[in-house]
Amino acid sequence: MSISFWVFTSLIVLLVFYLLAWGTQVRRYTSSSTVANAYDSWTNDRLLEQLWGEHVHLGYYPDLGRGIDFRLAKIDFVHHLVRWSGLDQLPPGSRVLDVGCGIGGSSRILSREYGFDVIGITISHAQVQRAKELTPKDLLCHFEVMDALDLKFDQSSFDGVWSVEAGPHMPDKQLYADEMLRVLRPGGVLAVADWNSRESVTGIRSGFERFVMSQLLNQWAHPDFATIHGFRQNLINSRFSGGFVDSEDWTKFTLPSWIDSILEGFRRPGAVLSLGPGALLKGLREIPTIVLMRWAFANGLMQFGVFRSRG
């Protein structure tokens, strides 16, 4: 076996001991406030923004990541999902909702490059404030604090609904699907991308797999992961479903993002060091979960699902 395999395996073992030594419930999900507090913290210290730019989500790598810039891969991801979902077939001026908008990176692309009138919502007050600061005044792009499971919009309010990597924070996946489809007009376009757990015929996982899953849930305030099939069924079973629902597994296209997200700290050391020692320690604190995420996606424990539907 290659040296890189043994190095990666040794790193996994060391990280397991690290997590066991430092505890496993720092960000365990207890309520929506757990999620809000986590994102407020990540936004206020500017660590993720300094390292990864305006997009916290994964990137799209069509050629296994060779020669692709990490930040450009994130932008490419937005365009690939827009085209795959059919959102690009909506005319300029269409009203689009971005559910779990972060600091507005995708919302700004949807508004600036596709001409959509975008409303981004997130449960984090800090993210909304930062999104507003980063958004030019001339863009049709606005942001509000709102719970995705209780959208304050009328039925059929939007021509398109967009949501990237927000689902794992939702304790009720059916309600998450229902609310997005409820506000989507008949014939409108839904585009969703999420981290999903593996389909299991037996439902049996090894001890190490159970440990990894507990970390992926508890370290980043996730109540649970849906499976690709499970969330597709949530969309199909919704009383607001228009009938058409499709899904794909984009794990191979997004997998390089995990290691790239760590390497950015070495490519841009000044981005971390300029924020002070606290940010450096916090950055190091995130590495074990990122490595375990990469292991889970590379070994089939997790999958990256994309979903498209019509209202």
Side-chain angles (χ1 to χ4, degrees):
M1 295 185 180
S2 66
I3 293 176
S4 60
F5 170 82
W6 289 113
V7 169
F8 188 76
T9 302
S10 299
L11 185 57
I12 285 286
V13 173
L14 289 172
L15 292 176
V16 168
F17 281 109
Y18 170 90
L19 288 165
L20 287 172
W22 287 95
T24 62
Q25 301 183 21
V26 176
R27 301 190 190 105
R28 178 187 285 273
Y29 178 92
T30 57
S31 68
S32 60
S33 63
T34 316
V35 181
N37 291 338
Y39 279 104
D40 282 349
S41 175
W42 281 320
T43 303
N44 288 330
D45 64 27
R46 301 288 172 88
L47 177 61
L48 297 186
E49 182 182 339
Q50 286 280 74
L51 274 180
W52 300 344
E54 298 180 23
H55 303 270
V56 179
H57 59 74
L58 302 186
Y60 188 93
Y61 299 77
D63 192 27
L64 301 179
R66 287 189 286 270
I68 300 176
D69 179 83
F70 179 56
R71 295 192 181 196
L72 291 180
K74 290 170 173 284
I75 295 172
D76 287 345
F77 175 90
V78 175
H79 292 298
H80 277 282
L81 186 59
V82 166
R83 291 191 292 269
W84 178 81
S85 66
L87 204 67
D88 60 336
Q89 301 303 306
L90 295 177
S94 296
R95 197 164 183 243
V96 173
L97 177 66
D98 183 354
V99 178
C101 64
I103 57 174
S106 296
S107 295
R108 284 185 286 275
I109 289 178
L110 295 174
S111 178
R112 182 175 57 246
E113 302 193 30
Y114 295 93
F116 299 148
D117 182 354
V118 182
I119 296 179
I121 65 110
T122 169
I123 205 166
S124 164
H125 288 264
Q127 284 187 326
V128 166
Q129 180 59 38
R130 186 57 180 153
K132 290 178 178 179
E133 293 169 356
L134 292 171
T135 302
K137 301 297 183 183
D138 59 343
L139 274 187
L140 285 174
C141 198
H142 310 282
F143 302 95
E144 299 180 25
V145 176
M146 195 177 299
D147 189 337
L149 300 184
D150 185 22
L151 296 174
K152 305 301 183 182
F153 302 109
D154 292 336
Q155 187 169 333
S156 304
S157 296
F158 293 92
D159 303 296
V161 176
W162 171 277
S163 186
V164 174
E165 298 177 19
H169 293 301
M170 308 298 168
D172 188 331
K173 311 303 184 191
Q174 186 62 60
L175 183 56
Y176 172 51
D178 288 344
E179 279 294 272
M180 289 191 292
L181 290 172
R182 180 183 65 80
V183 301
L184 184 65
R185 68 163 173 79
V189 179
L190 174 72
V192 177
D194 264 330
W195 305 341
N196 300 104
S197 59
R198 176 186 66 200
E199 300 285 350
S200 176
V201 176
T202 65
I204 298 173
R205 291 175 175 152
S206 69
F208 182 68
E209 287 179 331
R210 291 195 298 273
F211 170 78
V212 170
M213 288 301 293
S214 71
Q215 297 308 306
L216 303 190
L217 293 172
N218 294 336
Q219 293 297 323
W220 286 350
H222 298 136
D224 196 11
F225 298 114
T227 64
I228 292 177
H229 173 74
F231 189 67
R232 187 171 184 272
Q233 286 303 121
N234 290 145
L235 294 171
I236 291 172
N237 295 336
S238 174
R239 63 186 184 278
F240 303 106
S241 176
F244 171 78
V245 178
D246 191 20
S247 61
E248 285 187 6
D249 182 350
W250 281 14
T251 302
K252 67 179 181 180
F253 299 124
T254 55
L255 186 61
S257 294
W258 297 108
I259 297 303
D260 252 358
S261 65
I262 296 174
L263 292 178
E264 280 295 282
F266 297 94
R267 295 175 185 140
R268 308 171 190 270
V272 181
L273 297 175
S274 65
L275 297 174
L280 176 61
L281 291 174
K282 186 172 183 180
L284 293 173
R285 166 71 178 77
E286 305 301 340
I287 290 176
T289 308
I290 293 173
V291 172
L292 290 179
M293 276 287 192
R294 198 274 178 190
W295 183 90
F297 279 93
N299 289 277
L301 186 61
M302 293 287 291
Q303 298 172 307
F304 193 94
V306 290
F307 308 84
R308 56 187 175 186
S309 182
R310 298 292 181 273

